[in-house]
Amino acid sequence: MEKLPVVLQLRPVPIIDPVEDRFLNKFRFLKAWESSMPMDLFLTTHAQSVRAILCSGLTPITVDALRCLPSLQCIVTTSAGLNHIDLAECRRRGISIANSGDAFSEDVAEYAIGLYLDVLRRISAADRYVRQGLWPTKGDYPLGSRLRGKRVGIVGLGHIGSEIAKRLLAFGCSISYNSRKKKPSIDFPYYSDVCELAANSDALILCCAWTKETHHIVNRDVLLALGEKGVIINVGRGALVDEKELIECLMQGKIGGAGLDVFENEPNVPEELRTSDNVVLSPHSAVWTPEAFLSLHECLLANLEAFFSDKPLVSEVKDI
């Protein structure tokens, strides 16, 4: 009987639990956490047999772990972001990386639009107003604002950002964007400086990767440039925004509102955000739909099958 290819998991990958049998028909999982050996000894013991790793976005793939695995050629991660992986070492070693690709893009894009609509039309705040019985005693709830005609700046025009742009165009918004470099095939106005993008936008939607370069890419200067009617929507990572400055600007009326699916110190969310009627909060759940899970499972399987068949990865991250 032919031996199944070995795939290392340093920590559990809970997202595949419901369909693990599909993977086990094709691969043999080497689960490091089930061993009583120290991690470095475990990795060294299996160093020659491990060519691929499957991990979640919560599993650090450190330079120390990578150096224990001289035969490693491929990392497949369940997340879109790569901030948990030592990219410099992967680049140096020529290790290929595949992420979630398009699996989450549509779901996150829908969620971003939902957050933005909620902030503008005050849906959640109005819901609380009705539930608290305030309508009969205090009268009509204050007016919200329409989405049509808004100037929206997208920070990170990758898979998710492009899907967001597509939906905003259908609402009659105008789009501009910031990314690491201008995209020749995109006609939207490009701003290399996020502060300048903010100054020319009614809202910023953040869906870029969290890296050293993008940490606190939205700082006080950007928030002030966005202005007192401006809105921040974050479906990327919490640390893209300087949370303390965001809270201060919200409390002082320096910006108009925020829709946040991610936070700097999850799952702890500052009280100031939890008690603000012009802020819509969500527990890092933009990606979670049954359809997204199905797409992700297919993507992970396809990447591992492609790797062990010496074919191109289906969602390889080219620029690391």
Side-chain angles (χ1 to χ4, degrees):
M1 181 177 177
E2 185 179 353
K3 289 185 177 180
L4 296 176
V6 173
V7 177
L8 172 66
Q9 294 181 39
L10 295 174
R11 294 182 183 176
V13 185
I15 202 168
I16 69 167
D17 285 349
V19 294
E20 189 176 56
D21 286 349
R22 293 185 61 194
F23 287 82
L24 294 179
N25 287 333
K26 299 179 179 182
F27 313 105
R28 179 168 72 87
F29 283 152
L30 192 61
K31 299 181 177 182
W33 71 92
E34 292 182 349
S35 172
S36 59
M37 292 187 204
M39 179 63 76
D40 57 347
L41 179 59
F42 178 85
L43 296 181
T44 302
T45 301
H46 296 281
Q48 300 307 315
S49 63
V50 173
R51 296 174 57 213
I53 287 178
L54 176 64
C55 65
S56 77
L58 298 177
T59 302
I61 307 295
T62 65
V63 65
D64 290 337
L66 292 171
R67 287 175 180 170
C68 289
L69 299 168
S71 298
L72 184 68
Q73 297 172 294
C74 177
I75 298 171
V76 177
T77 179
T78 64
S79 64
L82 305 177
N83 53 288
H84 57 299
I85 299 173
D86 192 306
L87 299 181
E89 180 67 10
C90 289
R91 193 182 304 118
R92 188 186 72 79
R93 291 260 304 273
I95 296 171
S96 300
I97 299 175
N99 68 354
S100 59
D102 281 329
F104 298 139
S105 299
E106 293 189 0
D107 303 82
V108 177
E110 289 177 358
Y111 213 84
I113 301 300
L115 287 172
Y116 189 24
L117 275 169
D118 197 336
V119 175
L120 286 178
R121 298 302 302 271
R122 305 182 180 185
I123 298 170
S124 293
D127 175 83
R128 289 191 294 271
Y129 187 80
V130 173
R131 290 177 188 276
Q132 291 167 7
L134 299 177
W135 193 8
T137 57
K138 293 195 172 183
D140 291 338
Y141 193 74
L143 298 176
S145 178
R146 67 163 55 158
L147 179 55
R148 175 169 293 276
K150 291 293 188 291
R151 303 168 303 155
V152 181
I154 299 176
V155 182
L157 200 66
H159 293 302
I160 294 170
S162 297
E163 291 293 336
I164 292 171
K166 187 190 305 182
R167 287 157 175 75
L168 287 170
L169 288 174
F171 276 101
C173 298
S174 60
I175 308 297
S176 52
Y177 75 101
N178 165 271
S179 63
R180 283 178 293 180
K181 54 188 176 182
K182 191 178 191 304
K183 298 178 182 291
S185 60
I186 301 296
D187 292 332
F188 302 139
Y190 169 74
Y191 292 90
S192 60
D193 181 75
V194 176
C195 205
E196 189 178 354
L197 175 67
N200 289 277
S201 301
D202 299 307
L204 289 183
I205 298 182
L206 311 179
C207 48
C208 63
W210 174 42
T211 65
K212 290 179 181 178
E213 292 73 28
T214 61
H215 182 81
H216 286 184
I217 195 171
V218 173
N219 54 26
R220 184 173 183 82
D221 290 341
V222 172
L223 294 167
L224 294 178
L226 189 59
E228 61 184 21
K229 293 184 179 179
V231 173
I232 289 284
I233 304 296
N234 191 359
V235 290
R237 289 291 186 271
L240 296 173
V241 179
D242 187 328
E243 206 166 78
K244 290 183 179 178
E245 292 291 356
L246 173 64
I247 290 170
E248 189 170 311
C249 286
L250 285 165
M251 298 301 102
Q252 296 175 353
K254 302 291 187 183
I255 67 167
L260 307 172
D261 183 50
V262 288
F263 307 88
E264 283 208 72
N265 187 29
E266 297 177 4
N268 301 305
V269 178
E271 182 181 1
E272 295 92 337
L273 294 176
R274 290 187 280 111
T275 56
S276 295
D277 266 351
N278 59 343
V279 179
V280 178
L281 306 174
S282 168
H284 203 146
S285 56
V287 304
W288 304 131
T289 66
E291 295 85 356
F293 280 139
L294 178 61
S295 295
L296 178 61
H297 296 151
E298 297 297 335
C299 180
L300 298 174
L301 274 169
N303 275 308
L304 290 171
E305 288 177 326
F307 171 70
F308 287 110
S309 303
D310 294 320
K311 295 178 181 179
L313 300 176
V314 300
S315 61
E316 183 174 1
V317 182
K318 298 289 188 179
D319 185 9
I320 62 169

